[in-house]
Amino acid sequence: MSSKSKAFVSGLLEQADIVIDGSRAWDIRVNDDRVYDRVLTHGALGFGEAYMDGWWDAEAIDQLVYRILKFDLAAAVKIDLPTIWSLVRSRLVNLQRMRAFEVGERHYDLGNELYSAMLDPRMIYSCGYWKDATTLAEAQEAKLDLICRKAGLEPGMRVLDIGSGWGGLLKFAAERYGITGVGVTVSREQADYANAHRDGLPIETRLQDYLSLTGKFDRIVSVGMFEHVGARNYRAYMEKVRALLAPEGLFVLHTIGGSLSRSHGDPWAEKYIFPNGMLPSPAQLGRAIEGLFVMEDWHNFGAYYDPTLMTWLQNFEAAWPALAAAYPGKYDERFRRMWRYYLTSFAGAFRTRMIQLWQVVLSPSGVAGGYQSIR
């Protein structure tokens, strides 16, 4: 370890009122002094990996990350090699198309037992709508109903869900609004679960890439999938949605987004959580829909992702002893630290409002008389 590295990192953290080996929830306890050099050479990737390896701890990582981001401490560190490589790779290779099923295999196929323990009863893995909710289940049902109302669902409509997860949205829409539906996912575990739990409703989930879809749908929804499309493919995605949507239809897009246009994701999240993931900006989304859709509504409730993630964390921690005992070779201590870091660091990022959660309603030619925004 370089003493200069330790002094530099310690001084940097003090700007955000973070103290090495301090006593507050957001202070860092250093377990291995090699962490200082690792952070300076490998940036965000090194910071996250050092936590996974037990080199540092913090009682409340969400509060720690919130302070690091709020005070923009990364700006004081030169661009690290993992970030440079992520940027170069995104420019040279269209990974989102070359490896379309990778995120399904590496993240969503981790095990339905993990997600069942962490999520609500409907298995909804996206931001809840906490406006009038007090529990995770209430927040997720409120979000599902919000999407259905924004889409203007009516009995008999044929609905497409791009990135349909474990089938919760289509099942909810079939139960409450009488629709028929098709969902597509790149996760075999999700598809198997969704089809096994459709309870005789006129819905189906396919293990299929969205670009291979054909036909027409009265309504299209997509929840938490656009983050996997990639900046190079935003326009092609919107063109495909436009081709699949009926002339008088509506498309409801639910996606995480960021304030800055980027062509790569966070190196740590790309490596361990969401391979090839990246967040769109308002400018990128605007360019993607230009000439294809009328933007009817744009709703930002990103602040609600903070309580969603923290509730998932509580559920995960409560379920951990049983998961570790039942699957000792699958869910080890390094996985636990990785998952904890994922949930808490994302919560801290949403708390800063640097990243957002958007629901955007699009129509092919504009709703006659105007669209009535629904909250």
Side-chain angles (χ1 to χ4, degrees):
M1 178 205 66
S2 165
S3 59
K4 290 183 179 180
S5 296
K6 181 177 181 178
F8 179 82
V9 172
S10 299
L12 195 62
L13 291 173
E14 287 175 3
Q15 296 178 28
D17 193 27
I18 301 167
V19 177
I20 299 294
D21 296 328
S23 60
R24 296 164 303 181
W26 61 83
D27 286 331
I28 292 179
R29 296 187 303 278
V30 171
N31 304 320
D32 190 320
D33 281 343
R34 290 177 297 172
V35 68
Y36 302 108
D37 287 335
R38 191 171 187 177
V39 168
L40 291 181
T41 56
H42 291 87
L45 176 61
F47 188 63
E49 287 184 331
Y51 178 77
M52 291 167 59
D53 291 338
W55 289 15
W56 64 270
D57 281 293
E59 181 182 338
I61 299 172
D62 55 303
Q63 296 181 40
L64 169 65
V65 171
Y66 169 79
R67 288 176 173 271
I68 290 172
L69 295 177
K70 191 71 174 179
F71 288 86
D72 195 20
L73 300 189
V77 181
K78 294 180 180 179
I79 296 179
D80 54 273
L81 291 177
T83 299
I84 294 173
W85 169 239
S86 179
L87 177 61
V88 171
R89 187 178 60 168
S90 69
R91 298 283 177 86
L92 296 177
V93 184
N94 191 347
L95 290 169
Q96 290 78 16
R97 296 309 315 149
M98 290 179 61
R99 303 176 183 174
F101 284 77
E102 183 179 9
V103 67
E105 295 164 355
R106 289 182 50 195
H107 185 74
Y108 298 108
D109 287 348
L110 279 171
N112 287 338
E113 67 280 350
L114 168 66
Y115 292 105
S116 296
M118 187 178 80
L119 304 178
D120 66 294
R122 289 188 178 271
M123 294 281 279
I124 306 301
Y125 192 29
S126 53
C127 182
Y129 193 57
W130 294 85
K131 181 173 176 285
D132 299 308
T134 57
T135 68
L136 180 63
E138 291 174 352
Q140 295 296 13
E141 288 217 350
K143 187 266 300 298
L144 297 180
D145 195 59
L146 183 69
I147 292 171
C148 292
R149 289 184 290 126
K150 286 182 176 183
L153 297 188
E154 296 178 1
M157 282 185 170
R158 187 169 187 242
V159 177
L160 170 64
D161 185 352
I162 301 176
S164 54
W166 288 272
L169 173 55
L170 280 182
K171 187 176 181 180
F172 180 91
E175 290 172 346
R176 304 288 179 89
Y177 290 86
I179 60 93
T180 65
V182 174
V184 292
T185 175
V186 294
S187 165
R188 186 175 299 278
E189 292 278 338
Q190 288 183 335
D192 289 347
Y193 181 96
N195 287 321
H197 291 82
R198 55 185 170 182
D199 297 339
L201 294 165
I203 54 177
E204 64 169 314
T205 300
R206 304 172 184 170
L207 184 66
Q208 182 177 358
D209 179 33
Y210 72 96
L211 285 178
S212 65
L213 284 162
T214 58
K216 288 288 182 181
F217 297 86
D218 300 301
R219 298 291 189 268
I220 299 178
V221 297
S222 185
V223 181
M225 179 270 178
F226 197 66
E227 301 90 332
H228 305 305
V229 169
R232 296 172 65 165
N233 307 303
Y234 293 156
R235 181 68 178 183
Y237 174 95
M238 291 299 176
E239 289 172 342
K240 186 62 178 181
V241 171
R242 181 66 182 83
L244 294 167
L245 186 61
E248 301 303 319
L250 289 174
F251 171 42
V252 181
L253 175 67
H254 173 116
T255 182
I256 301 172
S259 299
L260 299 175
S261 296
R262 301 186 186 280
S263 59
H264 66 93
D266 172 79
W268 184 87
E270 279 187 305
K271 183 174 181 178
Y272 291 101
I273 307 299
F274 299 117
N276 314 317
M278 63 183 66
L279 304 183
S281 71
Q284 289 170 320
L285 187 55
R287 288 193 295 271
I289 69 173
E290 186 172 350
L292 296 174
F293 291 102
V294 172
M295 185 181 293
E296 302 287 358
D297 190 46
W298 191 314
H299 184 187
N300 182 344
F301 55 90
Y304 288 155
Y305 232 135
D306 184 356
T308 301
L309 285 154
M310 294 306 289
T311 306
W312 289 345
L313 174 68
Q314 293 170 9
N315 292 344
F316 171 72
E317 296 286 17
W320 178 255
L323 284 172
Y327 306 92
K330 188 175 184 180
Y331 302 123
D332 58 14
E333 184 60 23
R334 195 167 193 266
F335 179 92
R336 182 185 190 180
R337 293 178 71 89
M338 177 189 76
W339 208 254
R340 182 190 292 147
Y341 184 78
Y342 153 49
L343 295 173
T344 53
S345 63
F346 273 53
F350 276 102
R351 200 172 301 163
T352 66
R353 306 305 312 284
M354 294 174 65
I355 54 177
Q356 310 298 318
L357 189 286
W358 304 325
Q359 282 188 354
V360 183
V361 181
L362 305 171
S363 67
S365 303
V367 174
Y371 178 85
Q372 299 301 310
S373 297
I374 295 169
R375 298 292 185 265

